[in-house]
Amino acid sequence: QVQLVESGGGFVEAGGSLRLSCAASTTEFTDMGWFRQAIGKQREFVARTGRSGTFTAGALEGRFTISRDNSKTTVYLNMTSLKPEDTGVYYCYLDPLMESRAWGQGTQVTVSS
């Protein structure tokens, strides 16, 4: 079973930056990426990278950047110019070749105004 380990969340003031990491236990996948969920809201797509290319949600482009390390098993989400509305739980995901989507446990990001 695929395992994803996330890290890097925390508390930051508005305008600050954070980098999230997600380490996967497999190289057999098509895409990895991030969703986020604020309290009382639906989970929303943030960014992905992999065989389908690299893509960031339009509203986040310019502030959020997804990248992958040379081993291709760790993805990063660099977040800059953070706003209070970026507060939420950020979930890493991975689409394995032969299994259904795997999710990380989530990491909390809190941006103060």
Side-chain angles (χ1 to χ4, degrees):
Q1 187 174 359
V2 175
Q3 293 187 337
L4 300 172
V5 179
E6 302 161 351
S7 61
F11 182 93
V12 65
E13 293 184 350
S17 301
L18 283 175
R19 188 176 82 158
L20 306 182
S21 300
C22 177
S25 62
T26 179
T27 59
E28 301 297 316
F29 61 88
T30 55
D31 292 323
M32 287 182 71
W34 297 89
F35 276 71
R36 69 182 183 181
Q37 188 167 21
I39 294 176
K41 295 187 177 181
Q42 289 188 330
R43 191 173 295 191
E44 65 174 356
F45 170 79
V46 174
R48 70 167 184 264
T49 185
R51 295 187 184 183
S52 65
T54 297
F55 182 78
T56 303
L60 303 177
E61 280 187 328
R63 297 194 300 120
F64 287 24
T65 304
I66 189 170
S67 60
R68 201 161 73 176
D69 71 355
N70 290 334
S71 72
K72 301 188 185 302
T73 58
T74 300
V75 292
Y76 303 97
L77 184 67
N78 287 285
M79 306 182 293
T80 63
S81 301
L82 284 162
K83 305 174 182 180
E85 51 263 44
D86 294 318
T87 294
V89 179
Y90 284 68
Y91 296 93
C92 175
Y93 76 89
L94 178 148
D95 290 326
L97 293 178
M98 302 297 290
E99 301 174 31
S100 57
R101 176 170 288 180
W103 292 93
Q105 78 280 6
T107 185
Q108 176 70 43
V109 171
T110 303
V111 184
S112 67
S113 58

